Amino acid sequence: MVMKGLVGILESLGADKWDDQDILPLVKKIQKGLEGDVKALSSYERYIQELKSGQLQPGPVHTAPFWKANAHKFEVDEFALIKELIKLLAVFDDNDTVALTCYNLGEWARFYPDGRKIVETLGGKDRIMVLLSHGDEEVQEQALLAIQKLLVQNWKSIEGGADDDEKR
C-alpha cells in the first residue's frame, strides 16, 4: 500500500474538509499506522519492493543520489536485480516503467564499476537501443540518455557528471 501512493492519498484526504465528523479521525489513524511502515523501509528495500511489483513510479529511489549510494548492492546473486530491470524493458503497457527502467540502468552503469559492460553482457544495451524508436517520447528520451551513459567510459572526466542530482 505504501508503494502504491497511499500515503499521498491519505495526506490529501486529511487536508479536505468533511461533513462527516468520523472521517478525519479515521484518516489520521490510518496515516499514523502507515508511518511506521514508511520509516521501517530503507530506500533500497523500497526499491526492491517496487521492482518486484513490476511497476516503477517516479520518486526518491529513482535519483542519482540513490544509485550512487546503492549501486554495489545490486551485485547480489549475480546481478539478479539488474536482470529483473532488464526484463522490465520489455513491458509494453506501462511507458512510465520502461522510461524509469532506462534511467535506472543508465544510472547504475554510471555508478557501478564495469556496470556498462555488465548491462551490455546481460542484453540490456540492445534492448535499450530498440527503445530509441519507441512511440512514447519520454521512453525515447530516457533510452537515449541511458545509451549515452552506457557509452561514456570515464565519468570523472566529465565535469560534474558524477555529482548530478537530477531526479526522475
Side-chain angles (χ1 to χ4, degrees):
M1 287 190 288
V2 173
M3 297 306 296
K4 295 292 183 184
L6 183 59
V7 173
I9 292 169
L10 289 172
E11 286 175 1
S12 177
L13 290 173
D16 289 344
K17 295 189 185 225
W18 298 94
D19 291 335
D20 187 338
Q21 300 293 323
D22 295 333
I23 293 177
L24 191 56
L26 290 173
V27 169
K28 298 290 182 193
K29 184 176 181 180
I30 294 171
Q31 279 179 307
K32 194 167 207 149
L34 284 177
E35 280 179 9
D37 292 340
V38 172
K39 290 178 185 175
L41 293 176
S42 70
S43 60
Y44 177 71
E45 291 165 331
R46 283 192 299 245
Y47 187 86
I48 290 174
Q49 280 189 348
E50 191 173 325
L51 181 59
K52 286 182 180 181
S53 78
Q55 195 172 31
L56 305 183
Q57 299 174 347
V61 295
H62 304 287
T63 61
F66 169 82
W67 286 105
K68 189 173 186 176
N70 294 291
H72 282 83
K73 294 178 182 178
F74 286 78
E75 61 192 15
V76 176
D77 294 329
E78 297 182 6
F79 305 99
L81 296 173
I82 297 302
K83 291 174 185 174
E84 288 299 314
L85 265 176
I86 291 170
K87 286 180 187 176
L88 287 181
L89 292 172
V91 171
F92 62 89
D93 61 347
D94 186 351
N95 293 338
D96 290 338
T97 292
V98 176
L100 281 169
T101 299
C102 290
Y103 175 81
N104 289 337
L105 286 168
E107 288 299 279
W108 181 77
R110 184 164 77 121
F111 290 112
Y112 187 81
D114 290 327
R116 296 168 40 252
K117 290 179 187 174
I118 294 165
V119 169
E120 185 170 1
T121 301
L122 296 175
K125 183 177 177 184
D126 292 336
R127 288 191 182 183
I128 294 171
M129 291 290 283
V130 170
L131 295 173
L132 291 172
S133 61
H134 193 276
D136 183 78
E137 287 185 24
E138 181 66 17
V139 171
Q140 287 178 359
E141 180 182 341
Q142 291 306 320
L144 180 59
L145 292 171
I147 291 298
Q148 289 173 340
K149 292 171 189 173
L150 292 170
L151 294 175
V152 172
Q153 294 184 22
N154 185 359
W155 277 101
K156 292 178 183 171
S157 68
I158 297 177
E159 186 176 274
D163 294 326
D164 181 16
D165 288 345
E166 180 181 341
K167 292 183 181 179
R168 287 284 140 206

